[in-house]
Amino acid sequence: MTDLVTLDLGERGYEVLIGDGAWTIARRLAAVTPDRRYAVMVDTRVLQLHRDFIRDGLADLDIAGDPIEIPEGESAKSFGLLEIVLSQLLDRGLERRDAILAIGGGVTGDLGGFAAAIYKRGIDFIQVPTTLLAMADSSVGGKTAINMPQGKNLVGAFHQPRLVVADFAFLETLPRRQLLAGYAEIIKAALIGDADFFDRLEYSNRDSLSALHLQAHLKSAIEFKARVVEADERESGTRALLNLGHTFGHALESESGGALLHGEAVAAGCALAFDYSVRLGHCRENDAHRVHEYFSLVGLETDLSRLQGAPYSAEAMVERMRHDKKNAGGTIRLVLARGIGDAFIDDAADEADLINFLKDKAQ
Ligand SMILES: NC(=O)c1ccc[n+]([C@@H]2O[C@H](COP(=O)([O-])OP(=O)(O)OC[C@H]3O[C@@H](n4cnc5c(N)ncnc54)[C@H](O)[C@@H]3O)[C@@H](O)[C@H]2O)c1
């Protein structure tokens, strides 16, 4: 069965199709964008693993021609590759009324979305996310970007897709580690603003990632993100709550030198945000305990001393946090919590206290 979530953003609004069969149902895409041509961008690994499935879907949609292959990995989100993609779009004679269809994880989606945002001053694009992280997070909300030598996602644009097609058939080939990393973003959504959703996650227990529960959990996470994006599309306020776990997480991810996947770092980062909220007296200890327990239950490590890449230096982490691009006014900005489902923004964290906290946690 395929579920549907709608983002109500006026003329920029769109639907997210979730579950088995979404790729087939994407024929409706033809109705969303009639009489136009598509340039298909696809992650090389995804193309290898799902060649027939992709070909059949494209044939259903009357899309012909070779796709533009995007090499797998974060390095594809570069100015160099963006230029190559834009050149190929020009060589194919793509016009302003035409569109890009991006099939892959967050890397292909971010690159394809940014190319769509700037090609001929902006054309439409469709996201076909193939990782759980891309389904739960990056394909929805309209943030597109490439990386610069100075840091990740520093050049980009807000550009909403016209449709998101999250077909679970792609997940069958996704390595378990990647699946879990994406699942961290689903848990994050519940922790930020939906205590009932977190109850449902706990209730599904060890079966949380079974096909039966995963679709319902993914739908809840996308619904949650949709409401946040509708309220604050360009992150001038509440959308920043979606960064729960990300200030600690980015510091961990960078310090790990590649040992941690983004979602693994976010899982540990969420647990740290809850622990730090307890330390500051904002949150009950039992809530932080539940957060640790659930992450561990599904197989995501939250203990700083046991995390891949440990030991982590408290000073080095805070130094990274000081340069986080989400900061404003020269102080460290954290998303903290009053409890499960009740996150808030703290604009001026105390650096010395953070170092002491992280030293305690690293032991
Ligand atoms: N735009 C946003 O709002 C937003 C939000 C979160 C993350 N991001 C970005 O998303 C990116 C991370 O996304 P990701 O984790 O999807 O990374 P990714 O696109 O690099 O995919 C991870 C790996 O999985 C492989 N893969 C993809 N689909 C597969 C499948 N179905 N089967 C087997 N292998 C598959 C890819 O080839 C790659 O090696 C980062 O660049 C991050 O900055 C963007």
Side-chain angles (χ1 to χ4, degrees), residues 4 24 75 92 121 155 164 181 188 196 228 246 264 297 314 330:
L4 190 136
T24 313
S75 58
R92 289 165 188 226
R121 299 200 180 85
V155 173
V164 179
K188 179 201 76 176
D196 291 344
V228 173
H246 280 65
E264 293 169 335
L297 176 82

Side-chain angles (χ1 to χ4, degrees), residues 24-158:
T24 313
I25 295 175
R27 287 167 202 262
R28 73 158 64 201
L29 169 158
V32 175
T33 49
D35 300 330
R36 60 170 42 166
R37 291 188 310 140
Y38 294 91
V40 178
M41 288 170 57
V42 57
D43 176 292
T44 42
R45 174 177 291 267
V46 176
L47 185 61
Q48 272 166 19
L49 292 167
H50 298 275
R51 195 176 291 278
D52 293 347
F53 186 59
I54 291 173
R55 190 198 50 218
D56 293 349
L58 294 178
D60 277 352
L61 298 167
D62 278 337
I63 299 175
D66 290 335
I68 301 171
E69 291 192 36
I70 306 300
E72 75 167 293
E74 190 65 35
S75 58
K77 276 173 59 172
S78 67
F79 240 117
L81 201 66
L82 177 69
E83 187 178 0
I84 292 171
V85 167
L86 293 171
S87 279
Q88 294 211 21
L89 299 179
L90 288 167
D91 291 346
R92 289 165 188 226
L94 221 67
E95 297 177 357
R96 284 203 65 184
R97 65 203 293 267
D98 297 330
I100 290 174
L101 188 80
I103 308 173
V107 164
T108 307
D110 277 12
L111 178 70
F114 188 43
I118 59 175
Y119 182 79
K120 298 197 172 171
R121 299 200 180 85
I123 61 172
D124 284 347
F125 85 115
I126 314 282
Q127 290 264 26
V128 184
T130 61
T131 63
L132 187 56
L133 183 131
M135 292 180 184
D137 197 4
S138 63
S139 65
V140 178
K143 278 191 183 179
T144 72
I146 56 168
N147 303 327
M148 296 291 288
Q150 288 86 343
K152 276 186 68 175
N153 298 326
L154 291 180
V155 173
F158 283 100

Side-chain angles (χ1 to χ4, degrees), residues 280-298:
L280 297 182
H282 297 304
C283 176
R284 286 181 308 155
E285 202 158 350
N286 185 47
D287 282 17
H289 179 70
R290 284 172 67 195
V291 172
H292 281 274
E293 286 288 294
Y294 187 68
F295 276 119
S296 318
L297 176 82
V298 297

